[in-house]
Amino acid sequence: MTSKAGKKTSVAVGQAILLGLVSVVMALGINSVSPNSIGLVGQYRSLSNSEGPIVPPNAEDGDPQFIDINQAQMEFTLGTATFVDSRDPEEFVCGTIPGSVNIPFEYLPEFDLEQYLDSSLGYVSHDEAIIIFCSGEECDLSLHLGRNLQDLGYTKALIFFGGSREWEQAGLNIQRRQDCGN
Amino acid sequence: MRKLIDNDYVTMLSRLIIGLMYIYASFYKIVEPAVFAKSIWYYHIVPGSLINIMALILPWLELLCGLAILIGICYRGAVLWANVLLVVFIIAFASTIARGIDIDCGCFKAGKSATRAAWKTLWFDVAVLLCGLQLWFSRSKRWMLSGH
């Protein structure tokens, strides 16, 4: 009886190893040719010592979700979100999160706002993640732009209130289009 | 009890539940590995360097196990994997509830949701695990391409 159970288990383990190996081969093979492929080793920030997202004092119930640097960096690494810099173009060119779209909150048009934002965001789906930021804690342009986007139906508008400063302080790359002496 | 566990129809029903569940669960993960990697990240328990490789391999393992259980090839190995994975999912999900992390399981689709759904998912996984255990102990070999 015991040897029968032991045989059953060893057969199961052998088959499990085979299934595991086939899965590894399929995963690596398909990932190497897939248009949606990802890197084998994810470069994510350590999640330890995370103090959570910075939330401004003027945040209200119903505001878009605030995210911390770890989540912003994860979304950046996976390319699953559009990053939006809400500052003026003069500040944007001096240094921003690489690949960000510049939508200056101060220059939002009074009319056809939806059309303007849809166009600026490249007509991304309204349920895709959009991460809005500005320079850091002293700047709340990201909060206001985030509220606008949420009101227009962008259901995954996220605010990274630490902004480009926290990003740079974490040792992450900054894209500078112009040398502003910083 | 033994008769019920060995019953061909009960065994087939469990195979259908687990097989179809794993096949269905693997689809979005295979098509969108980045989105699944994000779901794993939200659990905050897998080291960053292992998240992507896990996001790539796990869906294929789920798909192969689902197919193997339905068809009845490499059956015992697939049932072993199915049960091990379910135990891992249950522990991982219970740990997020205990730590107050508010996430959707990422089992069938990506996204975040309320903790109310967390308990529902946990009980669902426990129920499926019972089916998995039934398959492990069942001696029924009916409607399988190979006998083991």
PDB file of all heavy atoms in Angstrom, chain B residues 15 18 21 41 52 55 68 71 74 77 81 85 92 100 115 118 127 135 138:
ATOM      1  N   ARG B  15     -12.469  17.815 -12.499  1.00  0.00           N
ATOM      2  CA  ARG B  15     -11.513  18.070 -13.589  1.00  0.00           C
ATOM      3  C   ARG B  15     -11.965  19.238 -14.452  1.00  0.00           C
ATOM      4  O   ARG B  15     -11.153  20.080 -14.857  1.00  0.00           O
ATOM      5  CB  ARG B  15     -11.376  16.819 -14.470  1.00  0.00           C
ATOM      6  CG  ARG B  15     -10.524  15.738 -13.834  1.00  0.00           C
ATOM      7  CD  ARG B  15     -10.601  14.455 -14.634  1.00  0.00           C
ATOM      8  NE  ARG B  15     -10.120  14.582 -15.998  1.00  0.00           N
ATOM      9  CZ  ARG B  15     -10.330  13.683 -16.958  1.00  0.00           C
ATOM     10  NH1 ARG B  15     -11.033  12.588 -16.681  1.00  0.00           N
ATOM     11  NH2 ARG B  15      -9.864  13.857 -18.158  1.00  0.00           N
ATOM     12  N   ILE B  18     -11.497  22.619 -12.335  1.00  0.00           N
ATOM     13  CA  ILE B  18     -10.092  23.057 -12.189  1.00  0.00           C
ATOM     14  C   ILE B  18      -9.447  23.293 -13.552  1.00  0.00           C
ATOM     15  O   ILE B  18      -8.757  24.287 -13.766  1.00  0.00           O
ATOM     16  CB  ILE B  18      -9.289  22.024 -11.375  1.00  0.00           C
ATOM     17  CG1 ILE B  18      -9.841  22.011  -9.951  1.00  0.00           C
ATOM     18  CG2 ILE B  18      -7.798  22.340 -11.398  1.00  0.00           C
ATOM     19  CD1 ILE B  18      -8.976  21.336  -8.944  1.00  0.00           C
ATOM     20  N   MET B  21     -10.854  26.447 -15.163  1.00  0.00           N
ATOM     21  CA  MET B  21     -10.450  27.626 -14.384  1.00  0.00           C
ATOM     22  C   MET B  21      -8.998  28.005 -14.700  1.00  0.00           C
ATOM     23  O   MET B  21      -8.694  29.170 -14.956  1.00  0.00           O
ATOM     24  CB  MET B  21     -10.596  27.352 -12.888  1.00  0.00           C
ATOM     25  CG  MET B  21     -10.288  28.560 -12.034  1.00  0.00           C
ATOM     26  SD  MET B  21      -9.971  28.141 -10.316  1.00  0.00           S
ATOM     27  CE  MET B  21      -8.298  27.514 -10.398  1.00  0.00           C
ATOM     28  N   TRP B  41       3.298  42.440  -8.458  1.00  0.00           N
ATOM     29  CA  TRP B  41       3.978  43.516  -7.705  1.00  0.00           C
ATOM     30  C   TRP B  41       3.108  43.990  -6.545  1.00  0.00           C
ATOM     31  O   TRP B  41       3.599  44.249  -5.455  1.00  0.00           O
ATOM     32  CB  TRP B  41       4.291  44.670  -8.667  1.00  0.00           C
ATOM     33  CG  TRP B  41       5.056  45.793  -8.040  1.00  0.00           C
ATOM     34  CD1 TRP B  41       6.410  45.944  -7.988  1.00  0.00           C
ATOM     35  CD2 TRP B  41       4.508  46.945  -7.378  1.00  0.00           C
ATOM     36  NE1 TRP B  41       6.725  47.099  -7.332  1.00  0.00           N
ATOM     37  CE2 TRP B  41       5.595  47.731  -6.953  1.00  0.00           C
ATOM     38  CE3 TRP B  41       3.213  47.378  -7.103  1.00  0.00           C
ATOM     39  CZ2 TRP B  41       5.417  48.933  -6.267  1.00  0.00           C
ATOM     40  CZ3 TRP B  41       3.034  48.571  -6.411  1.00  0.00           C
ATOM     41  CH2 TRP B  41       4.122  49.338  -6.002  1.00  0.00           C
ATOM     42  N   ASN B  52       9.128  39.460 -12.969  1.00  0.00           N
ATOM     43  CA  ASN B  52       8.897  39.271 -14.404  1.00  0.00           C
ATOM     44  C   ASN B  52       8.973  37.806 -14.820  1.00  0.00           C
ATOM     45  O   ASN B  52       8.144  37.322 -15.596  1.00  0.00           O
ATOM     46  CB  ASN B  52       9.910  40.083 -15.213  1.00  0.00           C
ATOM     47  CG  ASN B  52       9.560  41.551 -15.250  1.00  0.00           C
ATOM     48  OD1 ASN B  52       8.724  42.004 -14.469  1.00  0.00           O
ATOM     49  ND2 ASN B  52      10.190  42.303 -16.125  1.00  0.00           N
ATOM     50  N   ALA B  55       5.920  36.173 -13.796  1.00  0.00           N
ATOM     51  CA  ALA B  55       4.792  36.599 -14.635  1.00  0.00           C
ATOM     52  C   ALA B  55       4.815  35.896 -15.994  1.00  0.00           C
ATOM     53  O   ALA B  55       3.777  35.741 -16.634  1.00  0.00           O
ATOM     54  CB  ALA B  55       4.820  38.118 -14.831  1.00  0.00           C
ATOM     55  N   ALA B  68      -3.785  19.507 -19.211  1.00  0.00           N
ATOM     56  CA  ALA B  68      -3.421  18.139 -18.799  1.00  0.00           C
ATOM     57  C   ALA B  68      -4.527  17.520 -17.941  1.00  0.00           C
ATOM     58  O   ALA B  68      -4.835  16.336 -18.076  1.00  0.00           O
ATOM     59  CB  ALA B  68      -2.096  18.166 -18.041  1.00  0.00           C
ATOM     60  N   ILE B  71      -7.596  16.800 -20.337  1.00  0.00           N
ATOM     61  CA  ILE B  71      -7.379  15.719 -21.312  1.00  0.00           C
ATOM     62  C   ILE B  71      -7.001  14.415 -20.616  1.00  0.00           C
ATOM     63  O   ILE B  71      -7.373  13.337 -21.069  1.00  0.00           O
ATOM     64  CB  ILE B  71      -6.276  16.126 -22.328  1.00  0.00           C
ATOM     65  CG1 ILE B  71      -6.708  17.368 -23.100  1.00  0.00           C
ATOM     66  CG2 ILE B  71      -5.995  15.009 -23.311  1.00  0.00           C
ATOM     67  CD1 ILE B  71      -5.600  18.028 -23.877  1.00  0.00           C
ATOM     68  N   CYS B  74      -0.244  13.430 -18.370  1.00  0.00           N
ATOM     69  CA  CYS B  74       0.577  13.952 -17.260  1.00  0.00           C
ATOM     70  C   CYS B  74      -0.353  14.382 -16.130  1.00  0.00           C
ATOM     71  O   CYS B  74      -0.135  15.392 -15.462  1.00  0.00           O
ATOM     72  CB  CYS B  74       1.424  15.140 -17.694  1.00  0.00           C
ATOM     73  SG  CYS B  74       2.920  14.690 -18.555  1.00  0.00           S
ATOM     74  N   GLY B  77       0.869  14.760 -12.272  1.00  0.00           N
ATOM     75  CA  GLY B  77       1.766  15.905 -12.113  1.00  0.00           C
ATOM     76  C   GLY B  77       0.998  17.214 -12.181  1.00  0.00           C
ATOM     77  O   GLY B  77       1.268  18.156 -11.431  1.00  0.00           O
ATOM     78  N   TRP B  81       0.647  20.109  -9.308  1.00  0.00           N
ATOM     79  CA  TRP B  81       0.905  21.535  -9.532  1.00  0.00           C
ATOM     80  C   TRP B  81      -0.323  22.376  -9.178  1.00  0.00           C
ATOM     81  O   TRP B  81      -0.211  23.420  -8.532  1.00  0.00           O
ATOM     82  CB  TRP B  81       1.266  21.799 -10.995  1.00  0.00           C
ATOM     83  CG  TRP B  81       2.731  21.836 -11.293  1.00  0.00           C
ATOM     84  CD1 TRP B  81       3.386  21.069 -12.211  1.00  0.00           C
ATOM     85  CD2 TRP B  81       3.737  22.673 -10.700  1.00  0.00           C
ATOM     86  NE1 TRP B  81       4.725  21.373 -12.224  1.00  0.00           N
ATOM     87  CE2 TRP B  81       4.978  22.354 -11.308  1.00  0.00           C
ATOM     88  CE3 TRP B  81       3.708  23.654  -9.715  1.00  0.00           C
ATOM     89  CZ2 TRP B  81       6.167  22.992 -10.961  1.00  0.00           C
ATOM     90  CZ3 TRP B  81       4.909  24.279  -9.365  1.00  0.00           C
ATOM     91  CH2 TRP B  81       6.108  23.955  -9.984  1.00  0.00           C
ATOM     92  N   LEU B  85      -0.131  25.235  -6.419  1.00  0.00           N
ATOM     93  CA  LEU B  85      -0.383  26.635  -6.788  1.00  0.00           C
ATOM     94  C   LEU B  85      -1.550  27.217  -5.992  1.00  0.00           C
ATOM     95  O   LEU B  85      -1.493  28.358  -5.537  1.00  0.00           O
ATOM     96  CB  LEU B  85      -0.677  26.747  -8.296  1.00  0.00           C
ATOM     97  CG  LEU B  85       0.515  26.494  -9.232  1.00  0.00           C
ATOM     98  CD1 LEU B  85       0.068  26.572 -10.691  1.00  0.00           C
ATOM     99  CD2 LEU B  85       1.626  27.495  -8.983  1.00  0.00           C
ATOM    100  N   ALA B  92      -0.747  33.596  -0.203  1.00  0.00           N
ATOM    101  CA  ALA B  92      -0.405  34.946  -0.666  1.00  0.00           C
ATOM    102  C   ALA B  92      -1.581  35.895  -0.470  1.00  0.00           C
ATOM    103  O   ALA B  92      -1.421  37.022   0.008  1.00  0.00           O
ATOM    104  CB  ALA B  92      -0.003  34.909  -2.139  1.00  0.00           C
ATOM    105  N   GLY B 100      -3.613  44.247   5.238  1.00  0.00           N
ATOM    106  CA  GLY B 100      -4.494  45.360   4.875  1.00  0.00           C
ATOM    107  C   GLY B 100      -4.209  45.919   3.498  1.00  0.00           C
ATOM    108  O   GLY B 100      -4.554  47.060   3.200  1.00  0.00           O
ATOM    109  N   THR B 115     -11.634  45.290  -0.513  1.00  0.00           N
ATOM    110  CA  THR B 115     -11.283  44.128   0.287  1.00  0.00           C
ATOM    111  C   THR B 115     -12.454  43.153   0.394  1.00  0.00           C
ATOM    112  O   THR B 115     -12.255  41.981   0.644  1.00  0.00           O
ATOM    113  CB  THR B 115     -10.852  44.588   1.687  1.00  0.00           C
ATOM    114  OG1 THR B 115      -9.932  45.660   1.525  1.00  0.00           O
ATOM    115  CG2 THR B 115     -10.165  43.478   2.447  1.00  0.00           C
ATOM    116  N   ALA B 118     -11.902  40.382  -1.589  1.00  0.00           N
ATOM    117  CA  ALA B 118     -10.759  39.574  -1.192  1.00  0.00           C
ATOM    118  C   ALA B 118     -11.211  38.305  -0.473  1.00  0.00           C
ATOM    119  O   ALA B 118     -10.748  37.210  -0.781  1.00  0.00           O
ATOM    120  CB  ALA B 118      -9.840  40.394  -0.291  1.00  0.00           C
ATOM    121  N   ALA B 127     -12.475  26.489  -1.957  1.00  0.00           N
ATOM    122  CA  ALA B 127     -13.435  25.547  -2.548  1.00  0.00           C
ATOM    123  C   ALA B 127     -12.805  24.788  -3.714  1.00  0.00           C
ATOM    124  O   ALA B 127     -12.962  23.567  -3.850  1.00  0.00           O
ATOM    125  CB  ALA B 127     -14.676  26.301  -3.025  1.00  0.00           C
ATOM    126  N   LEU B 135      -9.331  15.270  -6.594  1.00  0.00           N
ATOM    127  CA  LEU B 135      -8.656  14.689  -7.757  1.00  0.00           C
ATOM    128  C   LEU B 135      -7.411  13.912  -7.336  1.00  0.00           C
ATOM    129  O   LEU B 135      -7.099  12.863  -7.886  1.00  0.00           O
ATOM    130  CB  LEU B 135      -8.266  15.792  -8.749  1.00  0.00           C
ATOM    131  CG  LEU B 135      -9.396  16.485  -9.513  1.00  0.00           C
ATOM    132  CD1 LEU B 135      -8.822  17.479 -10.509  1.00  0.00           C
ATOM    133  CD2 LEU B 135     -10.277  15.468 -10.232  1.00  0.00           C
ATOM    134  N   SER B 138      -8.649  10.643  -5.748  1.00  0.00           N
ATOM    135  CA  SER B 138      -9.547   9.806  -6.547  1.00  0.00           C
ATOM    136  C   SER B 138      -8.768   8.745  -7.333  1.00  0.00           C
ATOM    137  O   SER B 138      -7.681   9.020  -7.861  1.00  0.00           O
ATOM    138  CB  SER B 138     -10.337  10.690  -7.524  1.00  0.00           C
ATOM    139  OG  SER B 138     -11.045   9.871  -8.411  1.00  0.00           O
TER     140      SER B 138
END
